[in-house]
Amino acid sequence: MIFWSIVPEDVVFNGWEDKLELQEISYMGKTLSVRSGMKGSASVERILSTDPKDFLRKEFNPGNKIPFLS
Amino acid sequence: MICDLKTYKWGAVNEVNPEPDDENGENNPNNDDTSKEDKSQNIKELGQSSVPDLISDLHIISVIGQVEGHLVMPNQNKTTKYEHIIPQLVAVEESKDIKGLIIILNTVGGDVEAGLAIAEMIASMAKPTVSLVLGGGHSIGVPIAVAAKHSFIAPTATMTIHPIRLTGLVVGVQQSFDYLERIQDRVIGFVTTHSRLSEKKFRDYMMNTGDMARDIGTVVEGKDAVKCGLIDEIGGLSDALAYIHKTIEAKGVEK
């Protein structure tokens, strides 16, 4: 990756080694890739869809919290 | 909220508290609960209780923080994810209800290829597009800002133009250097074809040694960005909106 930013690299890449665990789940009929967080909730990382409309829905925006009861 | 029970049990709000509230024989608290939940979510995320309801034929893409590309950034970074922005641009271009797109920039740079991809997508859109640089549109933010049909910059906003650097392992010095130079040429080529800035001037800005304390390059302020031809106009929100409405109207008349 060619990285071009005014922020120093050690600031940007701090915590680079932390493991990122992504889960694929089905939510509102769509497949999402989510990052599980505290208290059983999850936040959307990306949506796996080929329908452009899905990308304009706020429920599927990256970072949106999904209540999670397993 | 619709749940898909096949894979996981996703909590609708009322499932957490399954006992129905039937004091008055009516047990339809769902709407109230949802709006309460929405409100507290709004306070938590946005610091305000209500977000105004608005029906608009414009869409806004805000390019904030780092432009995230092939690698997921560590948690402390705010990022603009290109894999989400690019399909959004497709949806905006395709939708009959959306008439124009505003791109608001306050970015510190990021992945060159992701940034160029977003910039090329914006530049190739047929719908009216306008960009507004607020705060900062640095590094890879520069091509994204000039990609729109018309660009505005706030008087206090700045744009940093500095050389692209290579991170990570260098296997062959000459090859890596040549490749880096070609990437830089791609960025310069894009910026100079989509703005009035000449290639020589852009390279001068990039290699300037007298402007920044810890780096080579130039910090271009709002007024100077317009003067050198990088950005089209000084302006704010009302100017950007006025421009896009005017363009939409003109387009409607043509048809």
Side-chain angles (χ1 to χ4, degrees):
Chain A
M1 179 180 73
I2 305 291
F3 183 72
W4 194 30
S5 170
I6 54 162
V7 180
E9 272 154 38
D10 50 336
V11 176
V12 173
F13 293 105
N14 186 20
W16 189 244
E17 277 82 30
D18 294 356
K19 236 171 108 191
L20 178 70
E21 277 180 23
L22 296 181
Q23 252 179 312
E24 267 178 37
I25 55 118
S26 187
Y27 177 62
M28 295 171 88
K30 304 285 175 182
T31 308
L32 301 179
S33 175
V34 298
R35 192 196 290 232
S36 35
M38 303 282 281
K39 291 180 193 158
S41 74
S43 72
V44 178
E45 189 65 28
R46 61 183 291 209
I47 166 164
L48 308 169
S49 167
T50 50
D51 185 352
K53 280 200 299 293
D54 293 341
F55 289 85
L56 294 179
R57 289 172 65 171
K58 68 172 187 189
E59 301 94 319
F60 301 146
N61 271 347
N64 188 49
K65 296 270 184 304
I66 298 174
F68 176 51
L69 304 170
S70 62
Chain B
M1 200 177 283
I2 305 160
C3 307
D4 189 341
L5 298 171
K6 254 189 285 171
T7 341
Y8 284 91
K9 194 179 173 197
W10 288 101
V13 177
N14 54 344
E15 279 183 16
V16 180
N17 201 351
E19 278 171 39
D21 177 18
D22 52 0
E23 259 175 55
N24 305 324
E26 278 177 33
N27 59 351
N28 195 10
N30 286 9
N31 289 341
D32 267 8
D33 269 12
T34 321
S35 70
K36 250 185 230 164
E37 179 81 359
D38 276 355
K39 246 182 205 170
S40 63
Q41 181 80 4
N42 280 340
I43 292 172
K44 197 176 134 213
E45 302 288 342
L46 307 169
Q48 55 189 42
S49 61
S50 66
V51 180
D53 245 352
L54 172 78
I55 297 165
S56 170
D57 52 4
L58 300 177
H59 256 248
I60 294 185
I61 284 184
S62 51
V63 180
I64 43 107
Q66 300 279 349
V67 177
E68 187 178 294
H70 308 305
L71 296 171
V72 179
M73 293 276 166
N75 258 339
Q76 75 273 22
N77 294 289
K78 283 205 167 186
T79 59
T80 301
K81 293 167 190 297
Y82 84 136
E83 77 270 24
H84 197 77
I85 296 282
I86 286 174
Q88 274 189 329
L89 290 172
V90 176
V92 168
E93 180 79 349
E94 184 68 10
S95 168
K96 286 189 182 73
D97 303 327
I98 303 167
K99 303 274 191 300
L101 177 71
I102 302 177
I103 301 118
I104 292 185
L105 287 115
N106 195 356
T107 177
V108 290
D111 189 307
V112 169
E113 302 214 314
L116 275 183
I118 295 172
E120 288 282 9
M121 285 290 281
I122 294 168
S124 58
M125 283 175 76
K127 285 198 176 154
T129 52
V130 65
S131 67
L132 174 59
V133 182
L134 299 163
H138 308 290
S139 316
I140 199 66
V142 176
I144 300 177
V146 302
K149 303 225 160 47
H150 201 78
S151 52
F152 286 94
I153 186 166
T156 53
T158 58
M159 299 180 91
T160 308
I161 302 168
H162 61 147
I164 297 174
R165 286 184 195 86
L166 196 63
T167 50
L169 184 71
V170 175
V171 180
V173 172
Q174 188 60 47
Q175 290 85 339
S176 301
F177 178 76
D178 289 346
Y179 180 59
L180 198 61
E181 191 148 48
R182 265 162 50 209
I183 290 172
Q184 199 155 283
D185 287 345
R186 272 154 66 194
V187 173
I188 295 173
F190 184 89
V191 173
T192 49
T193 40
H194 291 90
S195 70
R196 290 174 286 116
L197 188 65
S198 70
E199 189 181 330
K200 186 181 174 302
K201 187 81 184 162
F202 195 85
R203 280 186 198 274
D204 287 349
Y205 274 154
M206 212 175 217
M207 301 303 168
N208 186 12
T209 49
D211 200 55
M212 289 162 80
R214 292 172 52 212
D215 203 347
I216 55 172
T218 311
V219 180
V220 187
E221 278 165 27
K223 217 163 48 183
D224 297 330
V226 175
K227 214 170 160 190
C228 73
L230 184 62
I231 297 290
D232 296 319
E233 248 180 280
I234 287 264
L237 183 59
S238 57
D239 302 295
L241 284 172
Y243 174 83
I244 201 143
H245 284 306
K246 202 177 72 193
T247 324
I248 292 168
E249 247 169 57
K251 245 189 147 182
V253 172
E254 260 174 46
K255 275 177 190 170

